[in-house]
């Protein structure tokens, strides 16, 4: 990571998040807040990745379980999950993640395309990969995370 | 956008709406000078303002239209063609205005075609006798008229260049002393205008949102204080609560608009249809002043227009067909609106051909919506509801009027969306009516909170009819016909849906318990029960839309935050009805499900109780609204009578006889009778049983309050006369309600061979505001009719010795004096065969004998139709 920081050109800030053991980055411009989801109301008949809805300071927020959405394994000893608040087309969503990490500024020029053999479910919502020193960071395309799952259910 | 221009656009659009309506009125009464003066003034204002703002195209067009109208003012004959032409011109003006709004520039183009036609028309009218060429030519002004000169002068003299005074200049003559007579409407209008201000809609929306949040917070606080009995916050919170309620009401009011605003363009639509279809159509509008939330209003505008078009296009016949059917050539489309509870009811009715149930059935089968076998079992009402299914249209040729790719399904979808319900009623050959019931406001609704599968859900009170506790050891128990769960409720079989099953909490139907709470729900005319695990309370909730990711789930219409801060889902009754239908289409026909095994003797559910003596007493269960047990501590004694606070109201309690003593402690059993908003409780010692038995009152009684004695379950039992007690609770119980008096009590003839039923039904009917005459048989009834007695509606039993109900109905229909009187059949058994025979005989409706609510509803419907006709 330190190695890349001297690169010139435009860069983007990402909020990093662990989901099922994989590091993801969410463009910070789209992230409203990070909160602990409490008093979740489950929605019967909804698709499995909808964890439920909850009241966050008077707003009703739809919570999406990112592990199920991305098809990554459920760790056995999961702690209290966190949620990243997102505004999408005037509606509020919360993406359920395992843990939230630091904020990273990464130059756009170093973002690489998805490897062709990336899991289809991941590839669909990823808009590139950064090679960090210790691990890989998959950039999440939030519109696609929310949009596609809406379509799946409409079908 | 330029302020001036924006102001101009708002004003002009309003003016044009008025002109549309006025022109149609004008065509009907071409001699009404005040209407003409109105139109003229409006167009004149537009013209003047256009000139001022430098909009040459609009100015030229309005000028030409104004000149032609000037001619009419001077007495030139008004032809339909001329009005059409002016309407065309107004459409063109609207088009230009639309463009103007979008691009802030007058669109390029020419209106020479229209201007040419307007001039042509002008010349024609000049040639016509009585027309004068010189526009300046003065003649004595009629009362209610303003001279052209006067108008011009006021117009010019108003100081410019500000737009506001300019625009107000034109209405100025309205208040001029010249018009004292006919222009009362105008005057109130301008007075109103002075007392009101324009507020941006967004501001109001924002206010509403804030108030909704305030209501939520208040609920939260109330919930918190409820848990601490003696909190010091209690009093101030109570005050806050009241103020919030008032504020909510106040803000709600600012959003209210008369429903007439949504109707404004309908006269024009109908007029155009008249020309296009070659039909004669009269549009009646009642209750245009009924107010509702503007958001709701916006949402129903298009559905309403569509419904009116539909009625005019498909519903009404051509003049020839109407003549052949013995109807007046002119068809009527009637729009009415009124408030009922927290809802507004809007009805679009026509006196056309009605729905062709056969055709609809065939189409539904062809489209695979229902199997042939199922279709056979369906009631008329259920078949008619197919018109709300997507892609359903029985008209084979698509006309350009209503066949525009939108059907009743779209109308229904729109209504569903705002939490309303839609229903259709149709009588073949006599017309159909579509009724929509929508909440006055979308923001806040009253909801019943229920529990299912460990979760809480809200069911809108709009569709909740009643709540029943089902227990395996009581008479209300859940029974099964194969997999279909049903509930016996007052001699009706109610199809049941388990919320647990529908929501996927419990997929195994066999596990469904026999106990549970049943929320009796009504959607349109379909009634079904929803089994839930628990009933919690009712709460005013602020409806929030579902997230797009969840909107596909038809069972939910939205979600809300409760007072305790948790989020719950709002159940959509329409979705429930659909889910129930899809699950077991066959089971949901309450009308056809055979009643208690067909016996020739009518069996009645009787409630047996004891009061004052060990001898059993009984009363027909159908008369009782509810059975209650209340803590005697809650009973108050005031002003010589017992009272209890019941469902937010004071309910009088009457001991059934002097031997009944109010207990010192424990629970007091009550039979509760409700009607409209009033309830009374009859105090009894003990409720013994509910029995189904044939009922023969063998010995009459002279005791007040006792009809007579009958053998029930082989025991002599006194049958109580409810009519005796109701006036004790409310002196005016049988006096027609204010509503009814306004409409004057309607006369009703009740025919039944059984004394008991006559005695049982007469008070119910009287209580509903009817003037009741009874007859013991068809022969006696015919005798009454032959002696010139006239009734607004006739109710007749079907199985009677001598003349049967069918024979009677046929005689009535063939009697020229009474052919129009609605006849409703009463029977304890309603089967397909009966319905078919009844239709032949000319029955307008059928009601099961013990279905009190159904009966009143059917009566209301029939008499309402009649009244409007």
């Amino acid at each position: 990571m330190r190695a890349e920081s001297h690169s010139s050109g435009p860069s983007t800030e990402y909020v990093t998040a662990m989901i099922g053991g994989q590091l993801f980055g969410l463009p910070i411009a789209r992230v409203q807040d990070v909160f602990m989801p409490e008093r979740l109301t489950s929605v019967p008949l909804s698709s499995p990745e909808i964890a439920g809805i909850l009241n966050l300071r008077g707003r009703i927020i739809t919570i999406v379980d990112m592990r199920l959405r991305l098809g990554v394994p459920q760790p056995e000893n999961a702690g209290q999950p966190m949620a990243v608040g997102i505004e999408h087309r005037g509606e509020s969503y919360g993406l359920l993640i395992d843990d939230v990490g630091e904020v990273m500024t990464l130059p756009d020029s170093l973002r690489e395309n998805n490897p062709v053999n990336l899991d289809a479910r991941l590839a669909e919502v990823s808009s590139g990969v950064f090679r960090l020193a210790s691990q890989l960071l998959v950039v999440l395309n939030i519109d696609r995370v929310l949009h596609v799952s809406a379509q799946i259910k409409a079908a | 956008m330029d302020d001036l221009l924006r102001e101009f656009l708002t004003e002009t659009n309003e003016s044009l709406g008025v002109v549309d309506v006025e022109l149609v009125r004008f065509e009907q009464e071409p001699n009404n000078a005040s209407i003409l003066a109105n139109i003229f003034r409006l167009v004149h204002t537009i013209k003047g303002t256009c000139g001022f703002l430098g909009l040459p195209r609009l100015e030229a067009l309005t000028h030409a239209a104004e000149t032609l109208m000037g001619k009419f003012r001077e007495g030139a004959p008004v032809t339909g063609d001329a009005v059409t032409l002016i309407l065309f011109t107004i459409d063109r003006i609207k088009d230009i205005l639309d463009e103007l709004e979008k691009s802030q520039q007058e669109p390029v183009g020419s209106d020479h075609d229209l201007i040419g036609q307007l001039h042509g028309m002008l010349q024609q009218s000049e040639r016509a006798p009585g027309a004068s060429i010189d526009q300046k030519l003065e003649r004595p002004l009629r009362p209610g008229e303003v001279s052209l000169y006067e108008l011009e002068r006021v117009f010019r003299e108003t100081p410019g260049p500000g737009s506001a005074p300019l625009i107000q200049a034109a209405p100025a003559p309205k208040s001029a002393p010249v018009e004292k007579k006919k222009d009362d409407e105008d005057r109130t209008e301008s007075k109103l205008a002075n007392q009101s201000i324009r507020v941006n809609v967004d501001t109001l929306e924002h206010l509403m949102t804030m108030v909704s949040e305030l209501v939520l917070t208040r609920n939260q606080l109330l919930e918190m204080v409820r848990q601490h009995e003696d909190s010091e916050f209690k009093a101030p919170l109570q005050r806050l609560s009241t103020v919030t309620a008032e504020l909510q009401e106040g803000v709600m009011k600012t959003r209210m608009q008369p429903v007439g605003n949504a109707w404004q363009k309908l006269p024009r639509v109908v007029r155009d249809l008249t020309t296009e279809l070659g039909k004669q159509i009269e549009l009646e509008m009642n209750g245009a002043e009924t107010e509702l939330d503007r958001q709701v209003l916006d949402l129903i505008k298009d559905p309403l227009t569509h419904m009116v078009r539909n009625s005019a296009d498909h519903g009404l016949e051509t003049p020839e067909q109407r003549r052949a059917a013995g109807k007046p050539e002119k068809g009527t489309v009637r729009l009415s609106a009124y408030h009922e509870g927290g809802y507004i009811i809007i009805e679009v009715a026509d006196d056309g051909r009605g729905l062709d149930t056969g055709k609809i059935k065939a189409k539904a089968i062809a489209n695979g919506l229902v199997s042939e076998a199922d279709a056979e079992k369906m009631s008329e009402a259920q078949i008619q509801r197919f018109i709300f299914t997507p892609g359903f249209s029985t008209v084979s040729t698509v006309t350009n009027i209503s066949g525009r790719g939108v059907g009743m399904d779209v109308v229904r979808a729109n209504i569903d969306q705002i939490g309303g319900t839609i229903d259709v009623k149709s009588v073949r050959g006599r017309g159909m009516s579509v009724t929509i019931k929508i909440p006055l406001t979308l923001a806040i609704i009253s909801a019943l909170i229920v529990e299912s599968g460990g979760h809480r859900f809200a069911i809108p009170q709009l569709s909740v009819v009643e709540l029943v506790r089902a227990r395996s050891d009581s008479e209300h128990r859940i029974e099964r016909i194969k997999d279909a769960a049903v509930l016996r409720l007052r001699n009706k079989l109610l199809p049941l849906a388990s919320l647990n099953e529908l929501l996927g909490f419990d997929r195994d139907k066999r596990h469904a318990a026999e106990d549970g709470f049943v929320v009796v729900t009504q959607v349109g005319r379909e009634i079904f029960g929803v089994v839930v695990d628990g009933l919690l309370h009712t709460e005013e909730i602020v409806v929030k839309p579902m997230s797009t990711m969840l909107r596909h789930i038809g069972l939910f219409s939205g979600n809300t935050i409760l007072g305790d801060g948790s989020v719950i889902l709002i159940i959509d009754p329409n979705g429930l009805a659909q889910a129930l239908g899809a699950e077991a289409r066959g089971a949901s026909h309450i009308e056809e499900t055979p009643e208690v095994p067909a016996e020739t003797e009518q069996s009645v559910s009787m409630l047996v109780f004891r009061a004052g003596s060990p001898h059993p007493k009984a009363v027909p269960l159908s008369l009782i609204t509810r059975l209650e047990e209340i803590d005697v501590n809650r009973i108050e004694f005031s002003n010589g009578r017992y009272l209890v606070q019941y469902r937010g109201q004071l309910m009088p309690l009457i001991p059934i006889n002097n031997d009944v003593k109010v207990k010192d402690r424990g629970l007091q059993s009550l039979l509760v009778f409700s009607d409209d908003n009033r309830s009374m409780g009859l105090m009894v010692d003990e409720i013994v049983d509910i029995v189904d038995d044939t009922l023969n009152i063998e010995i009459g009684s002279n005791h007040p309050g006792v009809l007579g004695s009958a053998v029930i379950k082989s025991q002599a039992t006194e049958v109580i006369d409810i009519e005796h007690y109701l006036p004790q609770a409310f002196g005016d119980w049988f006096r027609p309600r204010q509503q009814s008096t306004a409409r004057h009590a309607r006369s009703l003839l009740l025919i039944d061979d059984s004394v008991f039923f006559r005695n049982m039904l007469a008070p119910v009917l009287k209580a509903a505001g009817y003037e009741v005459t009874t007859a013991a048989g068809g022969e006696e009834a015919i005798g009454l009719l032959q002696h010139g007695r006239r009734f607004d509606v006739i109710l007749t039993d079907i199985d009677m010795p001598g003349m049967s109900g069918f024979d009677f109905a046929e005689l009535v229909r063939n009697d020229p004096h009474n052919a129009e009187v609605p006849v409703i059949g009463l029977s304890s058994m309603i089967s397909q065969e009966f319905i078919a025979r009844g239709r032949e005989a000319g029955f307008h409706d059928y009601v099961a004998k013990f279905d009190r609510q159904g009966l009143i509803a059917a009566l209301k419907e029939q008499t309402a139709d009649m009244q409007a006709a």
Side-chain angles (χ1 to χ4, degrees):
Chain A
M1 152 110 218
R2 253 152 256 108
E4 293 112 19
S5 56
H6 58 77
S7 301
S8 55
S11 56
T12 310
E13 279 186 284
Y14 295 96
V15 174
T16 59
M18 290 301 287
I19 305 169
Q22 170 65 50
L23 187 67
F24 288 89
L26 295 92
I28 202 166
R30 297 296 305 273
V31 175
Q32 304 258 319
D33 45 9
V34 176
F35 56 91
M36 303 268 267
E38 280 174 337
R39 303 181 69 178
L40 208 59
T41 303
S42 68
V43 180
L45 309 178
S46 62
S47 66
E49 67 229 45
I50 302 290
I53 49 182
L54 58 77
N55 167 14
L56 184 70
R57 297 187 289 277
R59 281 180 309 152
I60 295 178
I61 297 186
T62 309
I63 304 292
V64 179
D65 186 331
M66 288 306 287
R67 286 203 210 116
L68 291 170
R69 174 73 189 95
L70 301 172
V72 296
Q74 306 277 334
E76 283 175 9
N77 52 346
Q80 164 76 31
M82 302 288 293
V84 180
I86 305 280
E87 251 335 270
H88 178 66
R89 300 186 184 187
E91 293 176 348
S92 304
Y93 292 91
L95 306 182
L96 215 55
I97 55 170
D98 299 337
D99 202 1
V100 69
E102 57 186 319
V103 174
M104 286 184 183
T105 309
L106 299 172
D108 294 353
S109 55
L110 288 180
R111 191 169 68 190
E112 295 180 26
N113 288 338
N114 293 331
V116 287
N117 60 347
L118 189 65
D119 177 273
R121 245 193 293 184
L122 259 179
E124 196 193 328
V125 294
S126 151
S127 45
V129 178
F130 283 102
R131 279 181 291 129
L132 305 185
S134 55
Q135 53 188 324
L136 297 173
L137 180 144
V138 178
V139 178
L140 278 183
N141 181 327
I142 287 165
D143 288 339
R144 265 186 265 154
V145 168
L146 296 176
H147 177 69
V148 180
S149 46
Q151 269 191 348
I152 288 171
K153 265 160 278 125
Chain B
M1 196 190 293
D2 189 352
D3 277 352
L4 217 59
L5 194 58
R6 190 185 304 130
E7 186 86 351
F8 165 70
L9 285 172
T10 325
E11 291 275 349
T12 314
N13 276 325
E14 273 173 21
S15 305
L16 285 175
V18 179
V19 170
D20 258 0
V21 176
E22 295 275 291
L23 270 173
V24 176
R25 268 177 68 201
F26 181 54
E27 194 183 20
Q28 286 156 0
E29 346 170 24
N31 295 323
N32 189 329
S34 88
I35 299 180
L36 185 57
N38 255 340
I39 305 169
F40 189 79
R41 264 199 305 272
L42 288 164
V43 176
H44 189 78
T45 316
I46 298 171
K47 182 190 110 176
T49 324
C50 293
F52 177 77
L53 289 172
L55 303 166
R57 218 182 129 182
L58 276 177
E59 189 188 3
L61 204 53
T62 39
H63 177 74
E66 184 201 352
T67 318
L68 182 57
M69 279 188 266
K71 276 282 162 288
F72 297 147
R73 265 164 56 90
E74 284 159 26
V78 182
T79 61
D81 285 349
V83 175
T84 309
L85 186 58
I86 291 174
L87 287 175
F88 258 139
T89 314
I90 285 170
D91 283 344
R92 180 76 61 88
I93 295 175
K94 281 183 192 156
D95 289 346
I96 301 178
L97 286 171
D98 280 349
E99 274 304 307
L100 193 61
E101 199 172 342
K102 274 183 224 141
S103 61
Q104 306 190 29
Q105 296 235 317
E106 211 174 24
V108 217
S110 151
D111 308 302
H112 285 305
D113 50 335
L114 265 182
I115 294 177
Q117 285 182 42
L118 285 165
H119 281 310
M121 188 64 73
L122 184 67
Q123 274 155 13
Q124 259 182 41
S125 61
E126 274 166 6
R127 276 196 297 276
S132 59
I133 302 164
D134 190 355
Q135 201 186 333
K136 284 177 200 136
L137 190 75
E138 291 290 337
R139 56 168 175 73
L141 284 174
R142 296 195 201 120
E145 264 186 4
V146 181
S147 82
L148 243 189
Y149 171 76
E150 181 83 357
L151 267 174
E152 282 299 341
R153 190 181 55 79
V154 177
F155 201 72
R156 287 206 194 97
E157 283 175 3
T158 317
S163 83
L166 182 69
I167 284 155
Q168 278 155 13
K174 279 188 191 170
S175 46
V178 199
E179 33 176 357
K180 277 194 188 113
K181 249 179 74 187
K182 297 175 191 165
D183 285 26
D184 284 351
E185 284 172 34
D186 280 7
R187 288 164 60 98
T188 43
E189 213 172 78
S190 55
K191 238 187 263 164
L192 275 180
N194 290 338
Q195 284 176 5
S196 54
I197 52 161
R198 273 173 204 283
V199 180
N200 193 315
V201 170
D202 290 343
T203 315
L204 291 182
E205 292 293 319
H206 185 66
L207 260 180
M208 191 66 211
T209 320
M210 298 320 289
V211 168
S212 301
E213 294 303 328
L214 188 63
V215 169
L216 280 180
T217 318
R218 178 211 47 194
N219 290 352
Q220 249 159 313
L221 284 173
L222 284 175
E223 184 72 37
M224 280 153 77
V225 169
R226 207 171 290 156
Q227 286 160 13
H228 304 280
E229 255 315 305
D230 41 281
S231 166
E232 54 185 310
F233 296 120
K234 214 160 194 172
L237 193 57
Q238 204 56 48
R239 178 80 192 124
L240 175 72
S241 183
T242 330
V243 174
T244 311
E246 269 171 40
L247 180 64
Q248 182 188 336
E249 200 177 308
V251 172
M252 218 89 106
K253 245 183 220 157
T254 63
R255 293 159 47 103
M256 292 301 213
Q257 285 190 325
V259 71
N261 287 7
W263 295 355
Q264 221 169 37
K265 58 179 179 175
L266 293 177
R268 169 75 193 276
V269 168
V270 169
R271 187 206 169 267
D272 287 355
L273 286 175
T274 312
T275 334
E276 241 170 279
L277 298 168
K279 295 178 183 175
Q280 296 183 27
I281 308 168
E282 183 161 335
L283 180 68
E284 274 179 29
M285 301 195 283
N286 305 317
E289 67 290 343
T290 316
E291 290 194 320
L292 79 167
D293 193 284
R294 59 159 287 282
Q295 195 187 354
V296 183
L297 193 75
D298 276 354
L299 286 166
I300 59 161
K301 228 180 232 181
D302 290 342
L304 274 183
T305 312
H306 180 77
M307 280 153 69
V308 169
R309 280 172 182 281
N310 217 29
S311 279
D313 190 13
H314 300 323
L316 294 179
E317 313 90 329
T318 60
E320 299 77 54
Q321 289 168 333
R322 291 185 67 89
R323 223 176 308 137
K327 298 185 196 178
E329 280 183 30
K330 196 168 207 173
T332 307
V333 176
R334 186 165 30 88
L335 259 173
S336 29
Y338 55 94
H339 283 158
E340 201 181 271
Y343 300 91
I344 180 168
I345 318 278
I346 302 176
E347 187 192 37
V348 179
D350 65 60
D351 62 347
R353 53 173 77 97
L355 289 172
D356 186 337
T357 326
K359 238 180 184 174
I360 297 177
K361 199 193 274 180
K363 181 95 188 267
I365 296 169
N367 286 5
L369 294 169
V370 62
S371 76
E372 211 158 322
D374 283 347
E376 282 311 312
K377 283 186 272 167
M378 295 178 100
S379 66
E380 290 261 293
Q382 283 175 319
I383 290 168
Q384 285 166 4
R385 283 184 72 80
F386 274 120
I387 63 166
F388 299 119
T389 320
F392 204 91
S393 171
T394 51
V395 182
S396 25
T397 51
V398 171
T399 63
N400 78 337
I401 288 98
S402 37
R404 282 180 180 146
V406 283
M408 292 305 281
D409 57 315
V410 178
V411 172
R412 182 199 161 151
N414 283 350
I415 303 298
D416 276 4
Q417 199 196 334
I418 52 177
T421 54
I422 186 163
D423 196 19
V424 60
K425 282 170 208 140
S426 163
V427 181
R428 188 108 178 87
R430 298 169 64 104
M432 67 178 274
S433 73
V434 182
T435 313
I436 56 183
K437 181 173 184 183
I438 38 183
L440 281 183
T441 174
L442 300 185
I444 298 177
I445 62 165
S446 166
L448 174 72
I449 314 293
V450 302
E451 195 182 300
S452 175
H455 300 267
R456 287 181 293 173
F457 298 93
I459 302 179
Q461 285 280 22
L462 162 68
S463 33
V464 176
V465 183
E466 63 175 309
L467 305 171
V468 179
R469 173 85 200 257
R471 266 192 245 187
S472 49
D473 56 352
S474 83
E475 153 253 16
H476 292 306
R477 67 175 182 277
I478 299 173
E479 295 170 76
R480 266 154 214 286
I481 307 172
K482 243 182 104 198
D483 276 342
V486 291
L487 176 81
R488 285 191 212 196
L489 184 65
R490 289 190 287 275
N491 288 296
K492 236 181 180 183
L493 273 186
L494 205 62
L496 294 182
S498 150
L499 200 54
N500 284 353
E501 274 170 37
L502 289 177
L503 296 177
F505 293 138
D506 177 13
R507 296 217 173 267
D508 195 348
K509 290 182 184 211
R510 280 162 305 174
H511 279 192
E514 306 230 313
D515 294 0
F517 294 92
V518 179
V519 180
V520 182
T521 310
Q522 181 163 23
V523 175
R525 265 187 287 172
E526 302 229 358
I527 301 184
F528 53 90
V530 183
V531 186
V532 298
D533 298 340
L535 300 172
L536 302 173
H537 58 280
T538 57
E539 188 164 333
E540 298 268 293
I541 57 170
V542 178
V543 180
K544 305 205 171 199
M546 289 292 268
S547 132
T548 26
M549 289 180 89
L550 301 171
R551 223 165 271 167
H552 64 286
I553 308 172
L555 277 181
F556 305 124
S557 59
N559 40 32
T560 190
I561 301 175
L562 286 187
D564 64 6
S566 56
V567 178
I568 68 165
L569 293 153
I570 304 168
I571 301 275
D572 180 0
N574 288 297
L576 278 180
Q578 267 169 13
L580 183 70
E583 215 167 62
R585 202 174 277 285
S588 59
H589 324 318
I590 38 176
E591 290 95 333
E592 290 83 29
T593 334
E595 301 282 334
V596 198
E599 293 167 22
T600 27
E601 288 276 1
Q602 294 152 337
S603 97
V604 191
S605 274
M606 302 288 291
L607 176 85
V608 182
F609 59 92
R610 268 188 260 278
S613 71
H615 299 295
K617 298 184 170 51
V619 68
L621 193 59
S622 54
L623 293 177
I624 300 173
T625 318
R626 240 170 269 111
L627 298 178
E628 291 281 351
E629 286 195 317
I630 53 162
D631 195 322
V632 288
N633 292 329
R634 289 176 52 207
I635 300 179
E636 295 160 41
F637 190 78
S638 144
N639 201 13
R641 54 202 225 160
Y642 295 102
L643 295 167
V644 68
Q645 288 203 24
Y646 185 70
R647 301 194 170 203
Q649 280 183 324
L650 272 183
M651 176 170 81
L653 300 179
I654 310 283
I656 206 156
N657 56 39
N658 293 333
D659 300 327
V660 175
K661 295 279 174 272
V662 178
K663 295 177 192 166
D664 302 333
R665 57 203 157 91
L667 297 173
Q668 173 71 47
S669 299
L670 294 181
L671 317 184
V672 179
F673 302 88
S674 292
D675 186 26
D676 280 345
N677 287 324
R678 298 190 297 191
S679 299
M680 68 157 272
L682 215 48
M683 293 193 277
V684 303
D685 290 341
E686 182 194 4
I687 291 166
V688 179
D689 199 3
I690 293 169
V691 294
D692 282 326
D693 208 341
T694 54
L695 188 83
N696 288 311
I697 296 189
E698 287 161 12
I699 306 158
S701 162
N702 293 327
H703 277 290
V706 180
L707 279 178
S709 298
V711 175
I712 295 175
K713 289 272 161 179
S714 48
Q715 237 191 321
T717 308
E718 268 182 14
V719 180
I720 297 298
D721 179 12
I722 292 303
E723 192 177 0
H724 173 73
Y725 295 99
L726 302 188
Q728 292 186 12
F730 291 101
D732 59 345
W733 193 292
F734 289 127
R735 223 172 288 151
R737 299 293 133 74
Q738 285 168 333
Q739 263 183 320
S740 336
T741 32
R743 287 185 263 146
H744 75 263
R746 289 165 297 238
S747 54
L748 179 149
L749 177 60
L750 170 67
I751 310 163
D752 201 315
D753 56 316
S754 138
V755 186
F756 173 72
F757 277 105
R758 291 204 302 272
N759 284 337
M760 180 182 103
L761 285 175
V764 174
L765 297 168
K766 278 183 199 160
Y770 295 89
E771 217 173 77
V772 184
T773 308
T774 53
E779 293 86 354
E780 191 185 325
I782 290 291
L784 284 171
L785 294 175
Q786 276 167 355
H787 279 88
R789 287 288 300 273
R790 292 290 168 262
F791 300 95
D792 292 334
V793 61
I794 299 175
L795 267 178
T796 180
D797 186 11
I798 290 172
D799 320 291
M800 290 185 288
M803 189 187 287
S804 80
F806 293 128
D807 298 343
F808 171 74
E810 237 170 272
L811 277 174
V812 172
R813 205 181 49 174
N814 294 329
D815 173 0
H817 299 294
N818 290 299
E820 294 299 313
V821 179
V823 181
I824 300 177
L826 280 173
S827 175
S828 44
M829 315 174 283
I830 292 182
S831 65
Q832 275 299 320
E833 194 196 334
F834 259 69
I835 292 175
R837 239 195 106 185
R839 200 170 301 132
E840 252 168 57
F843 277 120
H844 289 70
D845 208 341
Y846 272 100
V847 185
K849 224 172 206 179
F850 316 104
D851 179 7
R852 186 163 75 123
Q853 275 159 346
L855 175 61
I856 300 295
L859 278 172
K860 259 190 195 157
E861 187 184 311
Q862 292 300 343
T863 47
D865 284 355
M866 173 202 70
Q867 205 150 38

